[in-house]
Amino acid sequence: MRKFTFYIFIYFFQIALGYTQELKTASLFTDNMVLQQGMSVPVWGISKPNEKITVKFANQSKSTITGIDGKWMVKLDPLSISKTGRKMSISGNSEIILSNILVGEVWICSGQSNMQFSVKAVPEIESLIPFARNIRSFEVKRTVSFKEEDNVIGSWSTTLPSSAVAFGFAYFLESIGDVPVGIIHASWGSSSIEAWMPKDMTHDLPYFKKIMEDFDNDITTQNKIQKSLNAKNGWTNKEDIFMRRQPNILYNAMIKPLAPYACRGLVWYQGERNTRYLTGVPDVTEANWFHNVIGMKEYGDVLKLWIERYRKEWQNDNMHFSIVMLPGFGQGTVANSDIDSKSPTAASWAWMRESQLKALEIPNTSVVNTIDLGDEKNIHPTDKFPLAQRLALQAAKYTLNKNIVAEGPIFDTVETYDNTLIVHFKNSKGLKTVNRKAPTGFWIADSSLKWEIADAKIEGETVLLHNSTIEKPLYIRYAFAGKPDVNLVNENNLPAYPFRTDI
């Protein structure tokens, strides 16, 4: 009887609270927003319990009744592209009018510092600003939370995305697709993939379970973060770094509230933070606490689970994930940072790129090749213009169904003829080198796995490899180095993807 009475009390208590709640939409729904074309579009918010809410947009009218907690959601039928700003009305105990709404392609752009990298730092991309049309942005405030939030801090704006990669991608996608583009930008420098993981991924990843158990039991760290969040004048740069390098809490504050906003996909430019170790999770100390992340060899399997978990959050198995391959860089791991950046055996970023390519093992994914880009000594390269173009090409091909070539040559098969290996590629039409010289970046080995630079020659749409010191070549590594010298492209001048056959 007491239990029944308790539930009745809670019921009426919630109702009493609800009657003070005015109609509100989730923070993602503001003036100037872009709605996703071609799929069901959820619109949600809160109001009083048991109240009829009606959403009207584009000649549609959808109604629902709020729950006991006051929450409501309607789903608009698939919308057609619209470059003309229109109004949406949401009515209940009051009315909300949202203005200047476009319909087109919506993408989330997330990751760490190279996604955050400013438009102003890339003159080639900044030069596009005067020519930009029908691009909107939602800049998610960089913050953290110990619990999964319902709302993010930010609003839609006609101001262009602050991220060079995000704006460049939007610019070229709008141009290729002739469609408005909305970018939701949620990135934060030096963050690991673990920072962007929902806590329930501990069920699938024992290493992440250990990380979260340690974090949840670390009251000192939690108090330190809370103090920063409560600071009247904001947090310092040192505190900023401390927060963004923690697990899970970026997801809670910056990603969870975005779901299930209808979008085409997510561009993910992250991985540098997880290159600190070749394999495994290190034992961390007070001095190297920020190394508490998975290594390069395991990253790919974690990435696949992460993608699948995000799709579950968005309730969309077709949500496209475009992964930015890490570009050329000359440093190694914490154990040995001073490496030969051209070596095919060094503990370099080559192993991370191989892991990132594992994303292609699940559907509705793409990996943008950047092996010809990057900077030997700068982890923040400025050559983001071609990267943005390639992102847009792949999005146009795989999500807008454009009949275009969006990738460079991809290893297909290899055959042996005497002491020569003949490499066959996909996307190899017009196979050539950018400098009209012999292909570079190829290494071959026999069963001893002693690698030698290959003499390479293009023959039709294949590459012939041999080395006079190897009688029976078996294996190939191409561009499998920190900062390899590469020049092989197809007729669209898109670079060949790195690969190795000694798996």
Side-chain angles (χ1 to χ4, degrees), residues 156-408:
W156 283 98
S157 172
T158 55
T159 302
L160 300 172
S162 64
S163 156
V165 171
F167 167 56
F169 165 63
Y171 178 89
F172 291 115
L173 183 60
E174 191 278 335
S175 177
I176 297 170
D178 190 24
V179 58
V181 176
I183 297 293
I184 301 174
H185 177 212
S187 67
W188 206 345
S190 75
S191 55
S192 64
I193 192 171
E194 290 81 7
W196 302 96
M197 284 186 191
K199 192 171 183 179
D200 59 24
M201 287 190 71
T202 55
H203 302 319
D204 300 314
L205 296 168
Y207 92 92
F208 187 52
K209 180 179 181 181
K210 175 64 166 58
I211 287 174
M212 288 311 303
E213 286 176 347
D214 291 344
F215 180 78
D216 290 342
N217 292 325
D218 189 349
I219 303 303
T220 300
T221 288
Q222 293 181 39
N223 288 340
K224 184 176 180 179
I225 293 169
Q226 192 62 56
K227 182 179 178 181
S228 299
L229 292 172
N230 293 340
K232 292 182 179 180
N233 298 320
W235 50 78
T236 65
N237 184 59
K238 184 177 180 180
E239 291 170 324
D240 186 281
I241 294 171
F242 185 76
M243 288 193 293
R244 70 198 194 209
R245 291 182 174 181
Q246 302 297 339
N248 170 246
I249 57 178
L250 275 66
Y251 169 84
N252 288 346
M254 298 176 64
I255 294 293
K256 176 61 172 68
L258 303 181
Y261 194 88
C263 63
R264 183 66 70 188
L266 186 151
V267 177
W268 181 241
Y269 194 165
Q270 190 281 328
E272 300 93 335
R273 174 81 190 287
N274 292 83
T275 62
R276 296 178 178 276
Y277 288 83
L278 183 61
T279 184
V281 180
D283 292 328
V284 296
T285 64
E286 185 175 347
N288 73 341
W289 59 269
F290 51 89
H291 290 183
N292 203 15
V293 299
I294 199 66
M296 291 188 280
K297 287 190 175 181
E298 295 85 5
Y299 182 92
D301 291 326
V302 173
L303 178 63
K304 290 191 294 182
L305 287 173
W306 178 84
I307 291 171
E308 290 169 347
R309 177 59 184 81
Y310 270 45
R311 286 174 176 165
K312 180 179 178 181
E313 196 65 38
W314 262 264
Q315 301 173 36
N316 181 5
D317 291 337
N318 296 318
M319 185 176 178
H320 194 91
F321 280 75
S322 187
I323 310 302
V324 177
M325 180 188 291
L326 294 193
F329 186 56
Q331 292 184 21
T333 62
V334 170
N336 183 17
S337 62
D338 187 14
I339 61 170
D340 178 358
S341 66
K342 312 303 179 187
S343 169
T345 59
S348 69
W349 281 14
W351 299 96
M352 173 57 85
R353 298 181 197 116
E354 182 176 78
S355 263
Q356 290 177 308
L357 285 165
K358 281 192 172 184
L360 298 177
E361 295 173 5
I362 57 178
N364 301 313
T365 57
S366 53
V367 177
V368 173
N369 189 8
T370 61
I371 198 60
D372 59 328
L373 307 178
D375 190 302
E376 178 84 21
K377 297 181 179 180
N378 189 352
I379 201 170
H380 300 119
T382 60
D383 52 0
K384 291 182 165 55
F385 188 93
L387 165 58
Q389 288 179 311
R390 294 170 195 177
L391 279 166
L393 282 172
Q394 290 194 354
K397 178 179 180 178
Y398 293 114
T399 68
L400 297 181
N401 300 314
K402 298 292 184 180
N403 185 21
I404 56 177
V405 176
E407 292 107 348

Side-chain angles (χ1 to χ4, degrees), residues 3 19 21 45 48 60 64 85 113 119 124 184 212 272 302 306 326 375 378-379 418 439 451 477 496 500:
K3 188 174 182 180
Y19 277 116
Q21 178 61 62
K48 295 177 181 178
Q60 294 188 43
T64 189
S113 53
V119 168
E124 297 91 340
I184 301 174
M212 288 311 303
E272 300 93 335
V302 173
W306 178 84
L326 294 193
D375 190 302
N378 189 352
I379 201 170
D418 290 337
W451 296 95
R477 288 190 176 185
R500 67 185 178 107

Side-chain angles (χ1 to χ4, degrees), residues 34 44 112 150 194 204 296 361 461 488:
V34 179
W44 69 95
Q112 55 180 112
D150 291 327
E194 290 81 7
D204 300 314
M296 291 188 280
E361 295 173 5
E461 295 184 2
L488 187 65

Side-chain angles (χ1 to χ4, degrees), residues 30 90 92 134 137 201 286 344 375 418 499:
T30 73
I90 304 102
N134 298 315
S137 66
M201 287 190 71
E286 185 175 347
D375 190 302
D418 290 337
F499 69 90

